[in-house]
Amino acid sequence: MSSSSVLTPAARLRGLRPHWLNDPKVWRTEVLAGLVVALALIPEAISFSIIAGVDPAIGLFASFTMAVVISIVGGRRAMISAATGAVALVIAPLNREHGLGYLIAAVILAGVIQVVLGALGVAKLMRFVPRSVMVGFVNALAILIFMAQVPEMRDVPWPVYPLIAAGLGLMVFFPKATRVIPAPLVSIAILTVITVAAGIAVPTVGDKGALPSSLPVPGLPDVPFTLDTLTTIAPYALAMALVGLMESLMTAKLVDDITDTHSSKTRESIGQGVANVITGFFGGMGGCAMIGQTMINVKVSGARTRLSTFLAGVFLMVLCIAFGPVVSDIPMAALVAVMVMVSFATFDWHSIAPKTLKRMPAGEITVMVITVAIVVATDNLAIGVVVGSVTAMVIFAKRVAHLAEVTAVTDPDGGTVVYAVTGELFFASSNDLVGQFAYATDPDKVIIDLSAAHIWDASSVAALDAIETKYDQRGKSVEIIGLNNPSADLHGKLTGELSSH
């Protein structure tokens, strides 16, 4: 072996480093994207803290730890995880009734549940989410992002409106001049300078709540470690775990589509759990993927690596601790303009174009509309996705229920009739199967040919048993032929065992 073929430890380390570490353009994009996201996270985290009924620092700490940890252990690069409204809504009653200690304990338990669910492969359930539900999810998300900005535009001084318009104008036209600096960052900086220099009195980030002045420190939740505590926090922890996983996995799938890359949903599920456990030990309120901030990072700013996610969390704490007075002066109008632009960019306008609606099956449109309606009505993306998916399954089952066809051919001698069954036999289609045979007028020998059919469940076996029983009651014999191997195995195991009589 030549000495030149032996790699030094430093050389091996360089080989393991991502290629983008040597690309200044990528560094610039990721750093600036992280800064924009951090600025947008501050008022959101404070608002969600208010919803949960905790001090603003609790939400900001959660956003810091969630972003930093998920950037390392998560499965989807460039996705932002932080304190979210969905999680805040779930745990608010627990905090209100039992206090902050129980909330923190629930966050840790929710993280453990997410790790377990991730290890068990819950992420594989994402394959059952139809495209129409995904489109509805995206459109509902865009609507919710916009609706969340409406309170910031009500009962405010009149300069807020021209500031929002100016912010939107900057984000539309500035990229035409250069994309070196993200337009949202330019918009926030310019509007802040204008309001401070001109002394314009408008709502600012500082009006949302006090920013923390020091880093969070780890510790155990202030609760008795008893079975009673566990039974108290368990329902809230389970709800938080499920809502957090649903939103995170849907967001990861959305980013996959936008970036045309694949991510490990199992690793993301486990990573979300690890991030929540660590966040709980640092006194944060927990969280999950933030869809709005992820869209700022990926779609608006063009970030593609874990660096932007990591820096979003780091910049968040730096801005709060080192530049608190400056950040407090940022007008809310600037951040509202950013989020309005995000909602516009997120909405799938192609999905509601007249040409698309004319070509799309009615069932697909129905599922999309139901998903959007449920999400907007409940303010919960997870509920909308579940209801939309169930609706899609019902429509699919109803559609394929009529695909099982039965045709009969009688032998010339009249002594035998052959029924050829074509299609998929399951609980919906097999219900109509029993009524498609002429029991009274058929000859004494009946052959049911299932060569072009497949048996999927016990309902289909029960239907075939019922057909045989009806012929047997008339003294006629039935022979079932043509079963493929899986169908024959299922039929062999269950036939004659499903009747209680």
Side-chain angles (χ1 to χ4, degrees), residues 135 139 347-357 360 368-369:
V135 173
N139 290 344
F347 197 92
D348 187 350
W349 297 101
H350 176 73
S351 67
I352 61 171
K355 288 184 179 179
T356 304
L357 294 176
M360 193 72 67
M368 181 181 72
V369 171

Side-chain angles (χ1 to χ4, degrees), residues 396 400 423-430 453-461 464 483-484 486-488 490-491 494:
F396 174 77
V400 300
E424 307 299 317
L425 300 182
F426 66 111
F427 64 90
S429 59
S430 59
H454 185 95
I455 298 175
W456 286 104
D457 59 7
S459 297
S460 303
V461 176
L464 292 172
L483 288 169
N484 57 36
S487 298
L490 184 62
H491 185 265
L494 298 179

Side-chain angles (χ1 to χ4, degrees), residues 202-252:
V202 292
T204 64
V205 170
D207 296 331
K208 287 288 184 180
L211 301 181
S213 57
S214 62
L215 289 171
V217 293
L220 294 174
D222 184 18
V223 295
F225 292 89
T226 62
L227 183 61
D228 184 58
T229 298
L230 180 62
T231 56
T232 300
I233 66 174
Y236 297 96
L238 179 61
M240 176 185 164
L242 294 176
V243 168
L245 280 183
M246 178 73 75
E247 292 211 19
S248 299
L249 293 175
M250 290 295 290
T251 306

Side-chain angles (χ1 to χ4, degrees), residues 89-378:
L89 289 169
V90 169
I91 59 179
L94 179 63
N95 180 64
R96 188 167 54 248
E97 296 171 16
H98 300 279
L100 179 61
Y102 282 81
L103 182 152
I104 299 301
V107 170
I108 296 172
L109 180 57
V112 173
I113 293 173
Q114 288 177 328
V115 170
V116 173
L117 291 175
L120 291 175
V122 69
K124 294 178 181 177
L125 295 176
M126 286 300 295
R127 71 182 68 178
F128 296 107
V129 178
R131 182 187 176 278
S132 53
V133 173
M134 190 67 192
V135 173
F137 167 83
V138 170
N139 290 344
L141 159 66
I143 294 171
L144 287 183
I145 292 174
F146 180 81
M147 289 175 62
Q149 312 314 309
V150 173
E152 303 296 339
M153 296 185 274
R154 280 201 200 120
D155 301 322
V156 293
W158 69 266
V160 167
Y161 303 110
L163 285 172
I164 293 175
L168 291 171
L170 281 168
M171 284 183 285
V172 170
F173 296 108
F174 185 79
K176 298 181 185 301
T178 178
R179 292 184 177 271
V180 173
I181 304 176
L185 182 58
V186 174
S187 177
I188 292 170
I190 291 177
L191 294 187
T192 302
V193 170
I194 290 173
T195 54
V196 172
I200 302 174
V202 292
T204 64
V205 170
D207 296 331
K208 287 288 184 180
L211 301 181
S213 57
S214 62
L215 289 171
V217 293
L220 294 174
D222 184 18
V223 295
F225 292 89
T226 62
L227 183 61
D228 184 58
T229 298
L230 180 62
T231 56
T232 300
I233 66 174
Y236 297 96
L238 179 61
M240 176 185 164
L242 294 176
V243 168
L245 280 183
M246 178 73 75
E247 292 211 19
S248 299
L249 293 175
M250 290 295 290
T251 306
K253 191 172 187 299
L254 177 60
V255 177
D256 287 353
D257 294 340
I258 292 173
T259 61
D260 195 24
T261 57
H262 175 72
S263 62
S264 171
K265 306 302 184 297
T266 297
R267 178 177 172 179
E268 184 61 42
S269 301
I270 296 173
Q272 288 290 330
V274 172
N276 272 305
V277 169
I278 294 175
T279 295
F281 282 122
F282 275 90
M285 58 180 276
C288 61
M290 287 198 78
I291 308 171
Q293 271 63 26
T294 298
M295 290 300 100
I296 294 176
N297 197 45
V298 175
K299 202 163 188 177
V300 179
S301 302
R304 292 294 183 271
T305 76
R306 297 178 185 276
L307 181 61
S308 57
T309 306
F310 177 81
L311 291 177
V314 172
F315 283 150
L316 174 63
M317 280 294 99
V318 171
L319 288 170
C320 291
I321 296 171
F323 300 98
V326 176
V327 173
S328 295
D329 287 335
I330 295 175
M332 284 301 299
L335 299 174
V336 169
V338 171
M339 298 310 293
V340 169
M341 181 61 71
V342 168
S343 73
F344 183 85
T346 301
F347 197 92
D348 187 350
W349 297 101
H350 176 73
S351 67
I352 61 171
K355 288 184 179 179
T356 304
L357 294 176
K358 286 180 181 178
R359 296 173 182 173
M360 193 72 67
E364 301 275 314
I365 297 173
T366 301
V367 169
M368 181 181 72
V369 171
I370 288 176
T371 302
V372 172
I374 294 295
V375 170
V376 173
T378 63

